[in-house]
């Protein structure tokens, strides 16, 4: 589809005058959830696993399913979310990527500058969460990395507290997807939160990643929930759809999250194998909407 045709179709669709077939990735016949979502879970989705679907197409698709939040969008693309009345449930754009994080003091100056620039923009836009990464070990021991992260993050906390923003350090697996990543176990992340000592630092408990690294998901969530400010999902093994082919019992995990009184976002971050990406997303939302 030529760019002009795409732009014209999007314009008509937003105005309510075009059919779904004008957008190639919204041809799904599966966006058929009857009635509103239950409202107990605040649903979100990450854009990157749904490429080459455009961010605009994803905005339109999730509104039809019945939720309105997308993760990991930076300031340059917030206008697209705002056009469609979609929330940014987790911002990015201040970090230096997964590998270069707070555990290495050589990156502290750039990181602090990045968060100092993006956090006020978030507050102006009404957004509350921003991602952070520990960085890779590169031969560094966990204790040194923990202390280095705390030193850098403490310099960001004053900004975050001033603007009511929560910095959220992501837990990732170092076994399959992110070799050498330091913040790869929940206990290390919890210790970091304790060391920093601010309510404006939380962890992103990625259910897929933590299933790979340590399992015992429900017990961990119940025990350490006060340190978890955000959740990500995906099927394991494979990081694909949440269905009968994978080992995580998502209804049980989501129920445990809700039982802790969690009011934040549960974000889908699986990579659809099917061409009908929106059907896969709808299925995941149905499974997790308790």
């Amino acid at each position: 589809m030529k760019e002009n045709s795409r732009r014209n179709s999007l314009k008509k669709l937003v105005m309510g005058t075009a059919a779904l077939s004008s957008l190639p990735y919204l041809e799904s016949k599966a966006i058929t959830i009857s009635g509103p979502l239950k409202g107990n879970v605040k649903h979100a989705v990450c854009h990157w696993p749904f490429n080459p679907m455009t961010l605009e197409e994803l905005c339109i698709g999730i509104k039809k399913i019945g939720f309105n939040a997308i993760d990991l969008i930076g300031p340059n693309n917030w206008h697209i979310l705002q056009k469609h009345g979609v929330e940014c449930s987790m911002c990015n754009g201040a970090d230096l990527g997964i590998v270069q994080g707070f555990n290495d003091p050589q990156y502290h100056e750039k990181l602090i500058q990045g968060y100092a620039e993006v956090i006020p923009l978030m507050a102006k836009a009404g957004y509350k969460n921003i991602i952070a990464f520990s960085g890779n070990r590169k031969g560094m021991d966990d204790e040194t990395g923990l202390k280095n992260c705390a030193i850098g993050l403490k310099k960001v906390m004053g900004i975050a507290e001033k603007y009511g923003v929560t910095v959220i350090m992501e837990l990732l697996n170092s076994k399959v997807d992110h070799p050498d990543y330091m913040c790869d176990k929940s206990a290390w992340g919890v210790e970091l939160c304790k060391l920093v000592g601010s309510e404006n630092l939380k962890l992103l408990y990625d259910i897929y990643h933590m299933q790979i690294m340590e399992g015992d998901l429900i017990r961990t969530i119940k025990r350490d929930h006060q340190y978890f400010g955000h959740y990500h999902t995906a099927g394991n093994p494979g990081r694909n759809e949440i269905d009968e082919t994978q080992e995580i019992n998502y209804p049980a995990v989501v129920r445990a999250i809700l039982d802790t009184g969690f009011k934040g976002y549960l974000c889908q971050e699986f990579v659809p194998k099917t061409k009908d990406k929106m059907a896969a997303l709808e299925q995941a939302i149905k499974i997790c909407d308790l």
Side-chain angles (χ1 to χ4, degrees):
M1 181 181 287
K2 293 181 179 179
E3 186 60 27
N4 287 340
S5 298
R6 181 185 295 277
R7 190 178 297 113
N8 290 337
S9 295
L10 284 169
K11 183 177 180 180
K12 291 179 180 178
L13 185 58
V14 172
M15 294 173 63
T17 59
L20 272 177
S21 59
S22 63
L23 290 170
Y25 293 100
L26 292 181
E27 294 176 358
S28 168
K29 297 179 181 179
I31 306 177
T32 56
I33 290 179
S34 58
L37 297 174
K38 295 176 182 177
N40 298 321
V41 177
K42 289 177 67 175
H43 296 285
V45 64
C46 286
H47 176 227
W48 73 263
F50 288 78
N51 285 322
M53 180 184 292
T54 68
L55 181 57
E56 186 137 28
E57 288 172 322
L58 187 60
C59 286
I60 295 168
I62 67 171
K63 297 284 279 191
K64 289 187 172 293
I65 292 175
F67 68 100
N68 67 330
I70 298 179
D71 257 26
L72 301 178
I73 305 299
N76 290 342
N77 287 312
W78 290 347
H79 68 282
I80 299 175
L81 304 185
Q82 291 161 355
K83 173 183 176 182
H84 295 281
V86 171
E87 292 293 319
C88 186
S89 40
M90 177 69 69
C91 299
N92 62 11
D95 58 275
L96 300 176
I98 292 172
V99 173
Q100 298 177 336
F102 279 98
N103 67 346
D104 192 334
Q106 71 172 308
Y107 303 126
H108 283 183
E109 184 177 353
K110 287 185 178 179
L111 285 167
I112 293 164
Q113 180 182 350
Y115 286 89
E117 291 174 355
V118 176
I119 286 174
L121 298 177
M122 291 176 57
K124 185 176 180 180
Y127 303 145
K128 298 296 185 182
N129 298 326
I130 187 166
I131 195 78
F133 301 103
S134 67
N136 282 12
R137 288 184 172 87
K138 301 176 185 177
M140 184 183 299
D141 66 90
D142 281 0
E143 184 177 354
T144 299
L146 191 67
K147 291 178 180 177
N148 288 343
C149 280
I151 290 169
L153 285 164
K154 283 180 179 179
K155 294 178 181 179
V156 175
M157 286 302 101
I159 306 166
E161 290 165 0
K162 176 181 177 181
Y163 288 97
V165 166
T166 302
V167 177
I168 300 189
M169 175 74 73
E170 184 160 17
L171 293 157
L172 300 170
N173 85 75
S174 59
K175 181 179 177 181
V176 177
D177 298 288
H178 302 286
D180 203 42
Y181 185 71
M182 181 165 279
C183 187
D184 63 351
K185 292 185 175 63
S186 57
W188 190 94
V190 168
E191 187 60 30
L192 175 62
C193 289
K194 292 178 179 178
L195 199 57
V196 173
S198 172
E199 285 298 313
N200 291 72
L201 176 67
K202 298 290 184 183
L203 300 173
L204 195 170
Y205 189 87
D206 190 303
I207 297 163
Y208 158 75
H209 288 298
M210 290 301 96
Q211 171 67 6
I212 291 172
M213 291 304 298
E214 58 191 31
D216 206 15
L217 302 172
I218 291 175
R219 193 193 318 271
T220 301
I221 288 166
K222 288 183 176 180
R223 182 187 64 226
D224 297 327
H225 64 89
Q226 66 267 36
Y227 301 106
F228 302 151
H230 203 79
Y231 290 88
H232 275 180
T233 75
N236 187 57
R239 197 176 189 148
N240 301 124
E241 282 86 342
I242 294 175
D243 58 23
E244 70 282 354
T245 68
Q246 56 92 44
E247 66 188 12
I248 303 173
N249 182 352
Y250 267 100
V253 173
V254 174
R255 190 171 295 110
I257 292 170
L258 293 176
D259 285 347
T260 69
F262 180 71
K263 302 299 182 184
Y265 284 97
L266 177 76
C267 178
Q268 304 293 335
E269 199 185 20
F270 66 90
V271 180
K273 291 185 293 185
T274 177
K275 291 182 179 179
D276 194 341
K277 298 176 185 293
M278 295 310 297
L281 179 58
E282 182 197 26
Q283 173 181 270
I285 295 297
K286 281 183 175 179
I287 290 171
C288 295
D289 192 53
L290 302 182

